[in-house]
Amino acid sequence: MLRAIGKTTPLLMESILKKTLSLSACSPKRFVIKDHFDFDKKVINSDLPIIVNFHAEWCEPCKILTPKLTELLEDNPDIDLAIIDVDTNIDLVHLFEVSAVPSILAFRNGVVVDKFIGLVDANKIEELIEKLLRKKRI
Amino acid sequence: MVQIKARDKIPSVDLFEDSPANKINIADLCAGKKVVLFAVPGAFTPGCSKTHLPSYIQKESELKSSGINEIVCVSVNDPFVHAAWGNQFNTKGKIRMLADPNANFSKAVDLTIDLPPLGGLRSKRYSMVIENGIVKELNVEPDGTGLSCSLADKLKLK
């Protein structure tokens, strides 16, 4: 947060306000990524750890995992969720070498810290979330 | 075991239709015929349009009129579950639902994958064209986990 003060813009102020207010409101932060610039802004430059979900509408396993992830992260103010539709974001698919959907990448401070492919079991999903939360406290 | 490939003979293994009492030897079934055999990680599991039961049912008459004698669907499940899945989609007379409960066939062609979320060793997702017992074509879905959809086509486009 401190490093941002030098470049405080109205948008950033709004985001800081939202985060401090959201602790009481507990609003789910769920982004749908529109393009590469959107990705940089919301994922790479995210202050919180963020789970990125590569999703396709024509993929049945995705239709099961995406709602489950949303549900698990809904009341969690410490992790954000970004959804990337692979059909409209081919450049991001190539950039992260996503070979199959659903693909989940966990980001912290702009780098990938964990990932898994496919509709995995509930424990694996929870482990990923725990791992993201744990490292944050160090 | 080495993974089966084009020009290999289909191994002589028993699969099961409807119940454990009804065994069908896959090599015998393929003798003198042109067969499309596709396999999925599990009955009732969510999949992708390519190698999946509904799409084969849709293409069934087209495939049969172009010379295919039998369409076979294999998965590592007990014969009751596999048959019930077929019944849900009315496959009777169109697609032979042949279960591989101990993965004997899947192991013989070396197209198995360990899928803990489904209970253990399962078949990979693939399709084969077999002519008179010889594999003509094999397409294995590169999705790795079985419960995902490959983006191979999308990646090739660039």
Side-chain angles (χ1 to χ4, degrees):
Chain A
M1 286 287 182
L2 282 172
R3 69 180 190 277
I5 286 176
K7 303 190 273 172
T8 305
T9 61
L11 211 64
L12 185 58
M13 276 312 297
E14 191 188 270
S15 147
I16 294 170
L17 272 170
K18 261 202 199 142
K19 277 177 188 157
T20 38
L21 288 173
S22 77
L23 286 171
S24 47
C26 235
S27 55
K29 292 271 208 46
R30 191 175 159 259
F31 307 116
V32 174
I33 301 295
K34 297 190 285 278
D35 55 35
H36 205 146
F37 304 106
D38 204 23
F39 182 81
D40 284 343
K41 191 170 83 177
K42 299 197 173 122
V43 179
I44 302 293
N45 294 324
S46 170
D47 288 321
L48 290 179
I50 180 165
I51 288 179
V52 175
N53 173 12
F54 284 84
H55 168 101
E57 275 306 301
W58 43 265
C59 169
E60 286 170 45
C62 291
K63 293 213 195 123
I64 295 172
L65 183 62
T66 304
K68 186 70 199 177
L69 266 179
T70 309
E71 178 200 313
L72 281 173
L73 294 172
E74 205 152 44
D75 295 321
N76 193 326
D78 298 321
I79 302 180
D80 287 342
L81 175 66
I83 311 231
I84 300 182
D85 186 321
V86 295
D87 290 314
T88 53
N89 287 283
I90 301 271
D91 51 347
L92 290 171
V93 168
H94 274 93
L95 186 62
F96 292 100
E97 294 175 339
V98 175
S99 57
V101 278
S103 264
I104 303 303
L105 272 65
F107 279 80
R108 189 210 315 281
N109 298 324
V111 290
V112 178
V113 296
D114 210 349
K115 86 184 254 185
F116 66 73
I117 302 174
L119 177 60
V120 297
D121 71 62
N123 290 324
K124 220 164 166 198
I125 305 170
E126 283 168 17
E127 262 168 42
L128 184 99
I129 294 175
E130 277 296 301
K131 191 173 168 180
L132 266 180
L133 290 171
R134 236 183 298 132
K135 278 221 176 104
K136 193 196 175 206
R137 288 186 201 123
I138 287 173
Chain B
M1 280 285 144
V2 180
Q3 194 178 98
I4 200 166
K5 56 191 184 304
R7 295 214 290 248
D8 284 346
K9 240 171 73 168
I10 274 291
S12 174
V13 178
D14 288 333
L15 294 170
F16 300 86
E17 193 168 34
D18 297 322
S19 89
N22 193 23
K23 69 177 181 188
I24 310 280
N25 185 290
I26 190 67
D28 291 345
L29 187 146
C30 291
K33 294 202 189 119
K34 199 165 177 187
V35 177
V36 162
L37 187 152
F38 69 99
V40 296
F44 298 106
T45 57
C48 326
S49 46
K50 263 189 288 166
T51 320
H52 203 34
L53 188 57
S55 67
Y56 276 95
I57 294 169
Q58 274 173 5
K59 289 188 269 177
E60 184 255 345
S61 45
E62 189 191 311
L63 284 169
K64 296 254 172 89
S65 57
S66 71
I68 302 290
N69 303 114
E70 296 268 24
I71 304 173
V72 173
C73 173
V74 174
S75 87
V76 176
N77 279 118
D78 70 60
F80 303 107
V81 165
H82 198 57
W85 187 42
N87 287 337
Q88 192 185 64
F89 288 97
N90 286 319
T91 55
K92 211 114 218 137
K94 297 185 187 148
I95 300 183
R96 302 289 293 274
M97 303 299 290
L98 303 184
D100 187 18
N102 288 299
N104 290 335
F105 174 75
S106 307
K107 282 190 244 178
V109 296
D110 196 20
L111 284 165
T112 56
I113 174 173
D114 185 37
L115 289 175
L118 296 185
L121 197 70
R122 291 299 181 105
S123 169
K124 280 190 180 172
R125 207 200 310 268
Y126 64 86
S127 64
M128 260 191 226
V129 179
I130 309 162
E131 251 176 74
N132 195 18
I134 307 284
V135 177
K136 281 276 161 238
E137 222 182 285
L138 169 66
N139 293 301
V140 185
E141 288 257 346
D143 61 12
T145 69
L147 293 173
S148 55
C149 302
S150 167
L151 291 180
D153 291 343
K154 301 230 175 262
L155 292 171
K156 278 193 212 123
L157 281 170
K158 211 172 190 203

